[in-house]
Amino acid sequence: MATSVKLDDELKNRIQRLADTQHRSAHWVMREAIRDYVEREEARESFKQEALASWTAYQETGLHLTSQQTRDWLITWGTDKETEIPECHE
């Protein structure tokens, strides 16, 4: 699929300078920038959807952990005393 993007002269020049210093083509720089942006935004959207699903589950069940329970559990990560996730409760 061929796609064109209109860029102002200043941005084109910045891209070209960056490409020159990295011994890459301007096309490569733009493709990498777009790929990075799309991956970041997909991750952000996934996080948002997971948070919304968690909120919906909480509203339906009332099950939760308090922030202190969560902190106490997370503090054990990477230690010899690492524990399993606490049981959710109402």
Side-chain angles (χ1 to χ4, degrees):
M1 153 174 92
T3 302
S4 64
V5 177
K6 293 183 181 188
L7 305 172
D8 61 61
D9 289 338
E10 180 188 353
L11 184 54
K12 283 183 206 177
N13 290 334
R14 290 172 62 198
I15 292 168
Q16 190 59 58
R17 280 194 303 273
L18 182 60
D20 291 343
T21 61
Q22 294 183 349
H23 306 290
R24 300 284 188 171
S25 67
H27 177 262
W28 185 90
V29 170
M30 289 183 283
R31 197 169 32 111
E32 288 297 300
I34 292 168
R35 182 188 53 77
D36 289 349
Y37 173 82
V38 169
E39 286 178 2
R40 183 181 68 242
E41 292 303 310
E42 285 173 338
R44 184 177 301 185
E45 185 60 30
S46 176
F47 178 80
K48 180 177 148 187
Q49 292 305 315
E50 185 178 340
L52 289 172
S54 294
W55 176 242
T56 299
Y58 168 73
Q59 289 177 309
E60 291 172 357
T61 67
L63 296 177
H64 67 283
L65 294 175
T66 66
S67 59
Q68 187 61 52
Q69 290 169 315
T70 304
R71 274 193 298 276
D72 292 344
W73 170 56
L74 291 175
I75 287 171
T76 70
W77 284 20
T79 70
D80 293 336
K81 297 178 182 179
E82 189 168 320
T83 61
E84 295 294 322
I85 187 169
E87 193 71 31
C88 290
H89 56 83
E90 289 188 29

